[in-house]
Amino acid sequence: MNKKVSLKDIAKAVGVSTALVSYVLNNKEKEARVGKQIAEVIRKKAAELNYQPNQIAKSLKSGKSFTIGLIVADISNPFFANIARTIEDEAKKNNYTVIFGSSDENAEKSQDLMDVLIKRQVDGFIIAPTEHTEAQINYLNASNIPFVLIDRYFPEIKTNYVITDNFKAAYQATSHLINNGYKRIAMIAYKSNLIHMQERIKGYTMAIKDHKVKSVKPLLFEVAYDHAELEIQKQIESLINGGQTIDALFFATNTLSIYGLKFLNNKRLKIPDDVAIVCFDEGDAFDFFYCPLTYVKQPLIEVARQAVKILVNQISHPKQDETQVLLDSDLIIRESSRKTK
Amino acid sequence: MNKKVSLKDIAKAVGVSTALVSYVLNNKEKEARVGKQIAEVIRKKAAELNYQPNQIAKSLKSGKSFTIGLIVADISNPFFANIARTIEDEAKKNNYTVIFGSSDENAEKSQDLMDVLIKRQVDGFIIAPTEHTEAQINYLNASNIPFVLIDRYFPEIKTNYVITDNFKAAYQATSHLINNGYKRIAMIAYKSNLIHMQERIKGYTMAIKDHKVKSVKPLLFEVAYDHAELEIQKQIESLINGGQTIDALFFATNTLSIYGLKFLNNKRLKIPDDVAIVCFDEGDAFDFFYCPLTYVKQPLIEVARQAVKILVNQISHPKQDETQVLLDSDLIIRESSRKTK
């Protein structure tokens, strides 16, 4: 048997780009503005070489676009940039291409993106939904467009989702601080109704209550997404100046951690001697912080893998029951939350 | 005069999502799978409220999709994640939505993305091209599809581009190290034929030659993109063990900097006493490094702004001459490259 003839082989034989050959053999030469004559030459050469269209080309005829639309909350956040990258890699293994956009935690932008991607006939969506997008999610459901939510979901809407157990992660993180002897533990979180943030806050609050240490009270500070850095600075400043001494800080996200740690550095507060730290998520930034930081490590790759798996499965076999996956995080314990002396 | 009636107002009045109203009023109800009856109700309500379609809706009829396709080299790199974010913001100001993908410095993936986005009828592209994609760029040119290259370009192909002056930036950075008394300055770069990397290497080499300090010779180490971290470790290790003492390191990108700095930390080499450092680009990571780092600050926002401006202009007025923009970077001088004693 001869080696299978590829688009590249035809391109080489004709002396044009693989792209050109692809358009012609997928009968898309008109929209790709390929000249009639060159299309003819390519078709002849393909026949001559006994070219067999591959799985993807065949499936295009079946109406599938083999494209996944990914909407993340903020692509400049390393958490989402890494999820995007992993979803691309996983999708590629399934012959899917991912096109994505960032909603910037803004419902209107999310809507724009969804419109654009639906019109461009993606086969399905992976979405980290932002606040006030329930109508958009309901619309996808009503339209039978396959989708999987990640990172966040809406408890009142039946959907596929892959999330991590945020309550448990925050409960563990806070309990760890209490067990290591910290008594005035503050949490800095986003002001948000989104479930992942609410669960993290609940986990923190519940751990404080459950441990019944008399002097430990919840000290929760919620900052607005749009002015997070400034509000964190104000909160920490007032904590220090107000004489309301804290001995530990739990940051609800990686961005909040970076803002907070920068400000603690400015104020020359030493970690963990002046204040212990637990963060959510990782980041290159943390690797350079002078004190190794304790953090909640979410199973990013597993979230991406499962989301792609569920979506691809649902695209091929619609009308299944929803698949809902809850994954555990790991608490990586390091120097920033060491036992008090 | 009454306030302008929006899609949202109609959605509210009918009790459906804005998405639904948008599909119907853009005559896309069929592809969006909206029921006939509900479409009728929405159209009646729109007429009743005297709805005037906005610019975007009008322009849809003109055949434009008001969508930009963005192909970056690696979305998990903060440099590209931030460019993507800024391009989104700039595009939004021009009523464009951006859908993007990451080529992962892989020509085949770049081709896949381009195919997908062309089929999805983006109005134009912004591309940070990867190696061996000349054919793809030629194809866009031949097909009269508007596009702008950023960060990198191909000198032999006539295109729009917005880049920074990489030669000048590297020349300045290296000269700064020489002027501050360093004599054994090594550069760590990627093994790549891409122009931005070649220009950075040239700038470094030329600065060393021009300064004619007898003991200063170029010490260039090129690492492969796919195994960069491991190769950097090997290079630094061999520099230390081989007795080939260096007194300064110039990293050609932010990712290379992070890998290198981590390894220098592991080896307990002190900056700048054991080795001085100049990096390319910024990153949250650098803010937490114990020694404030000298770095080349590229004008990210300006690159994004100009790229969107040129593209939008070209979409509206095709067949113009190419616009080529070369922007200057700033060398931000800090502690990591201070004068030798």
Side-chain angles (χ1 to χ4, degrees), chain A residues 69-266:
Chain A
L70 169 65
I71 301 179
V72 297
D74 178 5
I75 198 64
S76 73
N77 179 333
F79 175 78
F80 287 115
N82 284 318
I83 279 217
R85 173 65 185 275
T86 316
I87 285 176
E88 278 194 321
D89 292 345
E90 288 299 316
K92 180 90 185 156
K93 288 182 201 160
N94 290 280
N95 288 327
Y96 275 80
T97 300
V98 180
I99 45 184
F100 45 107
S102 169
S103 67
D104 197 15
E105 299 284 7
N106 177 312
E108 204 191 322
K109 254 187 102 174
S110 168
Q111 178 71 69
D112 286 349
L113 275 168
M114 203 176 280
D115 288 358
V116 160
L117 293 168
I118 289 176
K119 279 181 198 152
R120 268 149 203 80
Q121 292 165 306
V122 296
D123 288 339
F125 283 96
I126 296 177
I127 304 172
T130 189
E131 271 191 306
H132 314 305
T133 55
E134 289 89 339
Q136 295 167 33
I137 302 303
N138 279 326
Y139 173 78
L140 291 179
N141 259 339
S143 314
N144 293 318
I145 297 172
F147 69 99
V148 179
L149 302 184
I150 53 170
D151 192 41
R152 307 98 178 258
Y153 71 106
F154 297 107
E156 68 281 11
I157 310 178
K158 243 184 144 184
T159 64
N160 299 305
Y161 62 71
V162 182
I163 53 160
T164 58
D165 192 336
N166 286 294
F167 174 86
K168 193 168 163 187
Y171 189 95
Q172 275 179 341
T174 311
S175 303
H176 158 71
L177 284 166
I178 297 169
N179 292 334
N180 270 3
Y182 297 97
K183 296 194 190 306
R184 302 275 304 162
I185 303 163
M187 178 184 197
I188 296 188
Y190 281 121
K191 214 173 274 162
S192 165
N193 289 321
L194 286 169
I195 189 85
H196 72 304
M197 199 47 64
Q198 286 303 315
E199 291 287 308
R200 288 176 198 181
I201 291 170
K202 263 190 216 159
Y204 159 79
T205 315
M206 193 67 85
I208 300 264
K209 275 190 191 147
D210 282 358
H211 284 79
K212 290 176 188 156
V213 188
K214 210 178 157 192
S215 51
V216 176
K217 275 183 206 163
L219 280 167
L220 174 66
F221 301 98
E222 289 168 290
V223 300
Y225 177 77
D226 288 333
H227 316 92
E229 182 152 23
L230 212 69
E231 290 195 24
I232 285 178
Q233 294 176 355
K234 272 189 202 158
Q235 295 289 6
I236 295 179
E237 187 86 63
S238 75
L239 275 172
I240 301 168
N241 294 338
Q244 220 191 3
T245 48
I246 53 162
D247 56 12
L249 258 171
F250 174 32
F251 292 109
T253 79
N254 58 351
T255 309
L256 294 174
S257 310
I258 287 170
Y259 292 154
L261 291 170
K262 274 187 196 173
F263 192 66
L264 293 171
N265 271 355
N266 283 349

Side-chain angles (χ1 to χ4, degrees), chain A residues 8 17-20 22-23 26 28 31-34 60 65-67 74-78 81-82 84-85 88-89 92 97-104 108-109 111-122 135-136 139 142-146 225 257-259 261-262 265 284-290, chain B residues 8 17-20 22-23 26 28 31-34 60 65-67 74-78 81-82 84-85 88-89 92 97-104 108-109 111-122 135-136 139 142-146 225 257-259 261-262 265 284-290:
Chain A
K8 219 186 243 173
S17 75
T18 316
L20 217 64
S22 164
Y23 295 128
N26 286 313
K28 306 280 181 191
E31 38 187 298
R33 303 169 229 191
V34 180
L60 274 173
S65 69
F66 279 88
T67 316
D74 178 5
I75 198 64
S76 73
N77 179 333
N82 284 318
R85 173 65 185 275
E88 278 194 321
D89 292 345
K92 180 90 185 156
T97 300
V98 180
I99 45 184
F100 45 107
S102 169
S103 67
D104 197 15
E108 204 191 322
K109 254 187 102 174
Q111 178 71 69
D112 286 349
L113 275 168
M114 203 176 280
D115 288 358
V116 160
L117 293 168
I118 289 176
K119 279 181 198 152
R120 268 149 203 80
Q121 292 165 306
V122 296
Q136 295 167 33
Y139 173 78
S143 314
N144 293 318
I145 297 172
Y225 177 77
S257 310
I258 287 170
Y259 292 154
L261 291 170
K262 274 187 196 173
N265 271 355
D284 279 328
F286 297 167
D287 291 332
F288 287 138
F289 197 73
Y290 64 89
Chain B
K8 216 186 244 172
S17 76
T18 316
L20 217 63
S22 164
Y23 296 126
N26 286 313
K28 306 278 182 191
E31 40 187 293
R33 304 168 229 195
V34 180
L60 274 172
S65 68
F66 278 88
T67 316
D74 178 4
I75 199 62
S76 72
N77 180 333
N82 282 319
R85 173 63 186 276
E88 279 194 320
D89 292 346
K92 179 90 184 157
T97 300
V98 181
I99 46 183
F100 44 107
S102 171
S103 68
D104 198 14
E108 202 191 323
K109 255 188 103 176
Q111 179 72 69
D112 285 349
L113 275 169
M114 203 175 280
D115 288 358
V116 159
L117 292 169
I118 289 176
K119 279 182 199 148
R120 268 148 202 81
Q121 293 165 308
V122 295
Q136 296 167 34
Y139 174 77
S143 314
N144 292 318
I145 297 171
Y225 177 78
S257 311
I258 287 171
Y259 292 154
L261 291 171
K262 275 187 195 171
N265 271 356
D284 279 329
F286 297 167
D287 292 332
F288 288 138
F289 197 74
Y290 64 88

Side-chain angles (χ1 to χ4, degrees), chain B residues 34-54:
Chain B
V34 180
K36 254 189 183 173
Q37 225 166 350
I38 189 77
E40 183 72 354
V41 173
I42 289 170
R43 284 215 173 78
K44 265 193 183 158
K45 182 59 76 180
E48 197 184 300
L49 294 175
N50 193 25
Y51 168 73
Q52 298 295 330
N54 64 13

Side-chain angles (χ1 to χ4, degrees), chain B residues 118-131:
Chain B
I118 289 176
K119 279 182 199 148
R120 268 148 202 81
Q121 293 165 308
V122 295
D123 289 337
F125 282 95
I126 296 176
I127 304 173
T130 189
E131 271 191 307

Side-chain angles (χ1 to χ4, degrees), chain B residues 50 113 115 125 137 208 223 236 244 246 271 312 324 331:
Chain B
N50 193 25
L113 275 169
D115 288 358
F125 282 95
I137 302 303
I208 300 262
V223 300
I236 296 179
Q244 221 192 5
I246 53 163
I271 291 152
V312 167
Q324 299 173 337
L331 183 67

